[in-house]
């Protein structure tokens, strides 16, 4: 068993075979930095719990493609803030499957939306002047799909 | 601003780029780049594909694009397609806007002389291609289609600068042998080469490329290149032994060439032949030497006989996909040999092979349990029994296409329906013996059906569609020309198939506004509708339809006397996503034209 410490002091126990889905943790174990516990100062407790939920499910149901697909679909149904926290954690912990899943989710939210709609759902401020924006839109006519 | 911009404050550049990797269409990338300045910069760094057509000044355009998108890996230039650029790159040519307006630049360029100097600048030149090489050093895929001004010099400059090139596609380009030889010399990562209408290339070029790329080459396509002969294929057989895919369309290739490839390229997986001078001898060699073959397609009036198919059946046990098109000399005997030998077959298409009949298909049904897709086109000799065996043996059949098979009737369809419960797609066209009984069986048994097309099967009536109302996953329905279908049938579909996205009811004289009203209630996901020649549908029905089917993207409604300018205006006003409307010109008011001009196509018939 491996012990993980989140940034806000929460402690989590997880099987080594499951934890090594995170390349970061895997390397720490290999480099013998994991005697007592592994500190993860970049991930808070709530997010770490979610990440562990993901890697536990993917370890135990490895061959159940359909089951994992529906688990993944439900897993990403969280609010924006949490989703970004998970992306950051997946990146820091180097868990490829989770990073791909969460980035794809955000991309799916962006696809097929107009520029204004994207700005609205992410609360992004438009820092182009109207002239700049008009010129850029014009420039996009150089090619077709 | 209402909330907090979390995405920009929490995610670093590398993660925004990671998200952009999943944006694979130009519109979504363009939109992302306009969101804010940070996204603009990042999107430009991460764009990896550009497609351009013939424009006013291609060399300048390429220069601009290469500075804006430095990490592009895939470049597609197709000069058959012209676009109007809203801005100019090169010298203004006598401020003549008509020169830049939708000029149809698809004409193949003639040889350029001094008097053609001005037209010359419209096409990408060698200098432009050199800019592509300079600007996109990470180039992996290059496709040049009808770039008639590009020569060996241009291709050589690309080859020298883009050593990571993996895929090269040349169509209608007058490049010469030195260009191709340069690719062989510099592009050692090349895996995929496609040559079509390259009249300047001879065996010398291709042989040099084969010598240069050797075992890296995995896929080769040669079509309509008159000076490429068996000599090139012999070189491929000698040097490119890892070749997996070969596609040939040429009357200048004979058995010798195909034999050489069969003997040399033992891991061949895909073979497509349209070579009138290749005969059984070549395919017999394929049967002996290419045991890894998975995909075989034989097209158009070639002289293969059953001997070929027997050899394939004997040697190519892994065959999964077989297409036989216009192969007059192939008969049931040959198909039986394939059936018995290639039991892993999943896709079979028989098109216009007039000597293949029931017996051949029966063998497929008896031996190929993994069959998933079957297409029979213009097979007058294939009768009901054939499909009974398919129904009995091919439990995993997902798609069935039948076109102009006049001997196939209800019994055949009933056998398929009862045996192939996993059927997802059924396309029947002009099989006049198929009636309601067969389709009722489909509705009762094939619950996973998503695509149904019954064009011009004029015995089919409303009862059939009532049964299809049980197929709740139906997305695509085409009943064009099935005169007996009326409101009752379409209403049943509206009530039973909520996921319907495409509906074609053209030429149905008995269909009226009631059906349109029910459609709007039952099928909110409708995206495409074809109502042409429906005499009884009026503006009223149309407005019912678009009141709830607001996702509508295309609408064809020509020859509908009941539809007027009002109806057309309603469609345009109610459907925010409308992309294409086909209607008579006089039915479009000025106001509608202003509102949605680019989406409306007019019926091009002057009455």
């Amino acid at each position: 068993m491996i012990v993980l410490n989140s940034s806000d002091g929460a402690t989590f126990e997880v099987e080594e075979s499951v934890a090594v889905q995170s390349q970061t943790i895997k390397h720490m174990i290999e480099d013998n930095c994991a005697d007592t516990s592994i500190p993860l100062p970049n991930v808070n407790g709530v997010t770490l719990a979610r990440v562990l939920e993901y890697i536990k499910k993917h370890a135990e149901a490895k061959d159940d493609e359909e089951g994992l697909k529906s688990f993944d679909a439900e897993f990403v149904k969280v609010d924006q803030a949490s989703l970004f926290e998970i992306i950051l954690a997946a990146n820091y912990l180097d868990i490829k499957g989770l990073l791909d899943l969460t980035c794809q989710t955000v991309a799916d939210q962006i696809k097929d939306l107009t520029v204004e709609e994207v700005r609205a759902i992410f609360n992004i401020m438009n820092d182009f002047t109207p002239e700049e924006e008009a010129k850029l839109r014009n420039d996009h006519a150089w090619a077709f799909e | 601003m209402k909330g907090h911009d979390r995405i920009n404050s929490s995610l670093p550049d590398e993660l925004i780029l990671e998200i952009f990797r999943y944006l694979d269409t130009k519109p979504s990338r363009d939109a992302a780049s306009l969101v804010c300045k940070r996204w603009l910069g990042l999107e430009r760094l991460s764009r990896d594909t550009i497609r351009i057509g013939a424009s006013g000044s291609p060399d300048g355009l390429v220069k601009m694009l290469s500075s804006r998108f430095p990490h592009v890996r895939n470049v597609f230039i197709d000069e058959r397609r012209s676009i109007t650029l809203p801005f100019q790159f090169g010298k203004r040519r006598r401020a003549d806007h008509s020169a830049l307006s939708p000029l149809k630049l698809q004409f193949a360029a003639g040889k350029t002389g001094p008097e053609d100097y001005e037209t010359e600048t419209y096409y990408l030149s060698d200098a432009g291609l050199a800019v592509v090489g300079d600007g996109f050093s990470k180039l992996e895929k290059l496709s040049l289609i009808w770039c008639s001004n590009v020569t060996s010099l241009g291709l050589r400059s690309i080859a020298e600068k883009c050593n990571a090139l993996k895929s090269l596609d040349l169509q209608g380009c007058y490049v010469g042998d030195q260009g191709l030889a340069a690719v062989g010399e510099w592009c050692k990562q090349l895996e995929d080469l496609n040559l079509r209408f390259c009249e300047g290339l001879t065996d010398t070029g291709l042989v040099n490329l084969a010598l240069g790329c050797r075992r890296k080459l995995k896929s080769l396509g040669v079509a309509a290149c008159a000076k490429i002969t068996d000599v090139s294929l012999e070189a491929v057989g000698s040097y490119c032994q890892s070749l997996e895919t070969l596609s040939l369309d040429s009357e200048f290739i004979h058995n010798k060439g195909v034999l050489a490839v069969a003997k040399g390229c033992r891991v061949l997986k895909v073979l497509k032949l349209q070579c009138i001078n290749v005969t059984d001898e070549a395919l017999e060699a394929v049967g002996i030497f290419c045991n890894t073959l998975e995909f075989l397609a034989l097209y158009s009036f070639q002289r293969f006989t059953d001997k070929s198919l027997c050899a394939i059946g004997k040697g190519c046990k892994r065959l999964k996909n077989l297409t036989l098109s216009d192969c007059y000399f192939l008969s049931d005997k040959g198909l039986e040999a394939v059936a018995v030998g290639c039991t892993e077959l999943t896709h079979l298409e028989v098109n216009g092979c007039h000597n293949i009949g029931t017996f051949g298909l029966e063998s497929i049904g008896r031996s190929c349990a993994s069959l998933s897709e079957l297409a029979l086109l213009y097979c007058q000799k294939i009768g009901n029994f054939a499909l009974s065996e398919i129904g009995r043996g091919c439990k995993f059949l997902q798609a069935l296409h039948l076109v102009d098979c006049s001997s196939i009737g209800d019994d055949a369809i009933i056998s398929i329906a009862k045996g192939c419960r996993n059927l997802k797609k059924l396309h029947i066209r002009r099989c006049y013996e198929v009636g309601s009984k067969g389709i009722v069986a489909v509705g009762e048994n094939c619950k996973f059906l998503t695509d149904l097309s019954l064009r011009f099967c004029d015995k089919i009536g409303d009862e059939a569609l009532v049964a299809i109302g049980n197929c709740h996953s139906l997305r695509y329905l085409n009943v064009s020309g099935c005169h007996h279908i009326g409101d009752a049938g379409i209403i049943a579909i509206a009530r039973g198939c909520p996921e319907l996205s495409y509906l074609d009811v053209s030429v149905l004289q008995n269909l009226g506004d009631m059906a349109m009203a029910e459609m709007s209630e039952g099928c909110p996901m409708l995206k495409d509708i074809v109502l042409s020649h429906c005499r009884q549908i009026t503006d009223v029905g149309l407005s019912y339809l678009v009141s709830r089917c607001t996702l509508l993207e295309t609408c064809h409604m020509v020859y509908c006397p009941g539809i007027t300018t009002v109806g057309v205006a309603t469609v345009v006003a109610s459907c925010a996503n409308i992309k294409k409307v086909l209607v008579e010109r006089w039915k479009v008011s000025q106001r509608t034209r202003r509102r949605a001009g680019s989406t409306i196509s007019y019926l091009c018939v002057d009455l």
Side-chain angles (χ1 to χ4, degrees):
Chain A
M1 283 300 244
I2 296 287
V3 176
L4 304 170
N5 285 331
S6 71
S7 60
D8 45 1
T11 315
F12 298 86
E13 267 195 354
V14 65
E15 302 261 357
E16 187 177 320
S17 56
V18 171
V20 295
Q21 281 181 60
S22 153
Q23 295 296 310
T24 309
I25 294 178
K26 182 163 179 259
H27 292 143
M28 284 193 202
I29 296 174
E30 285 166 358
D31 295 343
N32 280 322
C33 307
D35 330 321
T36 45
S37 60
I38 299 183
L40 300 172
N42 288 0
V43 190
N44 66 33
V46 169
T47 309
L48 188 53
R50 283 217 174 91
V51 172
L52 291 178
E53 195 192 319
Y54 175 92
I55 59 177
K56 277 185 187 153
K57 178 70 177 182
H58 275 249
E60 71 188 30
K62 225 175 4 183
D63 300 314
D64 177 13
E65 223 184 283
E66 284 296 320
L68 283 181
K69 252 188 5 195
S70 41
F71 172 82
D72 285 352
E74 284 304 308
F75 184 81
V76 290
K77 287 186 183 164
V78 294
D79 61 282
Q80 247 184 48
S82 307
L83 189 60
F84 297 142
E85 289 296 320
I86 299 174
I87 290 180
L88 286 164
N91 186 45
Y92 170 65
L93 294 170
D94 197 355
I95 306 173
K96 187 176 187 313
L98 183 57
L99 186 63
D100 289 347
L101 171 67
T102 45
C103 287
Q104 171 90 70
T105 305
V106 178
D108 288 343
Q109 289 170 3
I110 296 176
K111 271 180 202 181
D112 302 330
L113 287 187
T114 65
V115 178
E116 292 77 13
E117 286 165 346
V118 174
R119 289 184 192 134
I121 61 170
F122 291 112
N123 295 313
I124 300 175
M125 205 183 72
N126 178 7
D127 51 1
F128 293 115
T129 67
E131 296 78 30
E132 285 172 339
E133 196 175 325
K135 181 174 187 306
L136 285 170
R137 280 184 197 269
N138 229 10
D139 279 358
H140 282 143
W142 51 261
F144 33 71
E145 190 56 32
Chain B
M1 268 265 103
K2 289 136 274 184
H4 178 46
D5 176 359
R6 284 208 175 78
I7 191 167
N8 279 321
S9 54
S10 37
L11 299 185
D13 285 353
E14 65 184 67
L15 291 180
I16 304 268
L17 285 173
E18 189 64 32
I19 292 169
F20 283 173
R21 275 199 321 130
Y22 294 97
L23 296 178
D24 49 8
T25 66
K26 182 173 179 295
S28 58
R29 280 192 161 263
D30 287 346
S33 67
L34 286 174
V35 166
C36 62
K37 288 185 176 168
R38 183 187 183 207
W39 285 32
L40 178 70
L42 291 175
E43 196 283 315
R44 285 185 174 177
L45 276 178
S46 69
R47 194 175 290 226
D48 69 0
T49 302
I50 55 172
R51 290 170 207 272
I52 46 187
S55 56
S57 30
D59 294 0
L61 175 60
V62 168
K63 203 175 174 89
M64 184 272 277
L65 292 176
S66 65
S67 62
R68 186 177 287 184
F69 303 111
H71 296 147
V72 158
R73 282 178 306 186
N74 310 319
V75 173
F76 298 86
I77 305 180
D78 184 346
E79 296 197 309
R80 290 169 307 184
R81 307 171 74 173
S82 62
I83 55 157
T84 339
L85 283 180
F87 47 92
Q88 280 267 34
F89 285 109
K91 307 177 265 278
R92 206 156 255 285
R93 293 177 56 252
R94 294 182 270 119
D96 186 358
H97 279 285
S98 62
L100 261 192
S101 63
L103 245 181
K104 294 294 179 246
L105 297 171
Q106 295 92 307
F107 308 133
K111 303 288 173 278
T112 51
E115 67 279 6
D116 291 325
Y117 175 66
E118 285 182 340
T119 11
E120 202 175 323
T121 58
Y122 282 117
Y123 297 100
L124 189 73
S125 69
D126 283 335
L129 206 56
V131 171
V132 171
D134 273 325
F136 299 121
S137 54
K138 300 200 172 121
L139 198 64
E140 286 182 10
K141 270 197 205 176
L142 177 64
S143 170
L144 301 174
I145 303 187
W146 290 101
C147 300
S148 40
N149 264 7
V150 165
T151 73
S152 283
L153 275 160
L155 194 56
R156 170 173 274 275
S157 58
I158 287 273
E160 284 172 359
K161 298 192 175 124
C162 305
N163 299 347
L165 196 68
K166 275 203 180 121
S167 164
L168 177 63
D169 174 24
L170 298 173
Q171 299 190 35
C173 301
Y174 299 107
V175 172
D177 289 332
Q178 293 122 326
L180 214 58
V183 173
E185 195 187 329
W186 294 99
C187 304
K188 297 295 185 191
Q189 305 298 318
L190 195 75
E191 291 180 0
D192 174 20
L193 177 67
N194 187 41
L195 306 168
R196 191 179 179 85
F197 287 113
C198 296
E199 292 168 8
L201 287 178
T202 75
D203 286 324
T204 313
L206 194 46
V207 168
N208 276 316
L209 186 128
L211 260 164
C213 299
R214 295 203 179 233
R215 300 196 77 122
K216 272 288 179 179
L217 200 67
K218 290 218 168 70
S219 165
L220 174 66
V222 177
C225 299
K227 298 184 204 139
I228 292 184
T229 72
D230 294 327
V231 171
S232 293
L233 292 186
E234 284 174 318
V236 170
S238 300
Y239 302 116
C240 306
Q241 290 162 340
S242 301
L243 197 73
E244 291 179 4
T245 299
L246 179 65
S247 173
L248 298 171
D249 176 356
S250 164
E251 56 194 69
F252 303 101
I253 303 255
H254 301 76
N255 285 334
K256 204 160 150 221
V258 181
L259 256 152
V261 173
K263 285 190 181 155
C265 308
R266 300 297 187 98
V267 292
L268 201 66
K269 281 207 179 104
V270 176
L271 180 62
K272 301 186 193 177
L273 294 177
Q274 188 165 340
C275 306
I276 211 158
N277 287 317
V278 174
T279 67
D280 288 336
E281 203 189 322
L283 281 190
E284 283 172 319
V286 171
I288 295 172
F289 296 110
C290 304
N291 314 108
T292 50
L293 200 70
E294 291 181 12
F295 186 117
L296 176 65
L298 304 175
Y299 299 106
S300 293
F301 309 115
Q302 297 176 97
R303 295 182 278 154
F304 300 116
T305 73
D306 289 334
K307 266 182 168 181
S308 286
L309 289 192
C310 291
I312 298 291
K314 208 163 146 208
C316 304
K317 301 289 180 194
R318 298 208 209 154
L319 198 69
K320 291 206 168 72
N321 201 313
L322 177 65
T323 298
L324 302 170
S325 182
D326 289 314
C327 298
Y328 185 76
F329 298 105
L330 298 180
S331 79
D332 288 328
K333 197 159 152 257
L335 198 58
E336 187 196 8
V338 170
V340 165
C342 310
T343 53
E344 291 181 34
L345 206 65
T346 60
H347 284 69
L348 175 65
E349 176 179 328
V350 179
N351 183 341
C353 302
H354 296 296
N355 281 315
I356 290 183
T358 305
F359 179 65
L361 260 300
E362 281 183 280
S363 330
I364 295 281
R366 278 195 287 266
S367 310
C368 304
S370 308
L371 200 70
S372 131
E373 190 160 335
L374 175 64
L376 303 173
L377 298 88
Y378 308 102
C379 297
Q380 317 283 347
K381 274 187 163 186
I382 295 181
N384 283 325
F385 277 143
L387 292 192
S388 309
E389 284 296 339
I390 299 283
R392 239 191 295 265
C394 305
K395 301 280 164 212
F396 301 111
L397 196 72
Q398 291 198 1
L400 177 63
H401 300 255
L402 301 169
V403 172
D404 266 310
C405 298
S406 49
S407 305
I408 289 181
D410 281 330
D411 290 335
I413 305 298
I414 293 173
S415 324
I416 293 284
K418 290 193 172 155
C420 309
R421 305 278 178 124
N422 288 313
L423 200 68
K424 288 210 173 84
K425 281 193 196 184
L426 179 62
H427 286 216
I428 307 181
R429 196 166 94 207
R430 288 197 300 263
C431 298
Y432 301 119
E433 293 303 310
V434 175
S436 294
K437 256 176 83 185
I439 307 303
V440 166
V442 172
E444 288 172 354
N445 291 285
C446 305
K447 301 296 180 188
F448 302 111
L449 200 71
T450 61
D451 275 47
L452 178 64
S453 177
L454 302 167
R455 296 167 66 185
F456 299 104
C457 298
D458 50 13
K459 284 191 175 170
I460 294 175
D462 284 330
E463 329 75 271
L465 290 194
V466 168
I468 296 292
N470 288 321
C471 303
H472 305 302
S473 309
L474 197 72
R475 295 235 174 98
Y476 177 106
L477 178 64
N478 186 335
V479 288
S480 171
C482 302
H483 310 288
H484 294 116
I485 293 178
D487 284 345
I490 300 298
I491 288 174
I493 296 292
R495 290 185 183 166
C497 309
E499 295 190 31
L500 197 71
S501 147
Y502 178 104
L503 179 67
D504 183 338
V505 288
S506 51
V507 192
L508 297 193
Q509 309 292 308
N510 295 327
L511 195 66
D513 291 337
M514 274 300 298
M516 293 296 107
E518 289 271 351
M519 265 292 145
S520 75
E521 291 282 330
C523 304
M525 316 270 274
L526 200 66
K527 282 214 181 111
D528 305 282
I529 189 161
V530 181
L531 301 168
S532 302
H533 290 276
C534 290
R535 310 193 57 90
Q536 292 194 36
I537 294 183
T538 73
D539 288 341
V540 174
L542 205 55
S543 68
Y544 268 130
L545 182 72
V546 297
S547 64
R548 303 278 287 270
C549 295
T550 50
L551 296 178
L552 206 66
E553 289 181 12
T554 72
C555 181
H556 291 211
M557 42 185 174
V558 287
Y559 294 116
C560 300
I563 293 180
T564 72
T565 32
V566 175
V568 177
T570 313
V571 170
V572 168
S574 315
C575 305
N577 294 345
I578 198 88
K579 288 194 175 80
K580 181 174 177 201
V581 173
L582 182 68
V583 74
E584 287 90 342
R585 190 178 284 271
W586 72 81
K587 289 189 186 173
V588 183
S589 67
Q590 284 283 45
R591 188 152 176 263
T592 308
R593 207 185 309 263
R594 268 198 305 275
R595 193 168 177 156
S598 62
T599 62
I600 306 189
S601 319
Y602 300 110
L603 182 64
C604 299
V605 170
D606 287 316
L607 296 169

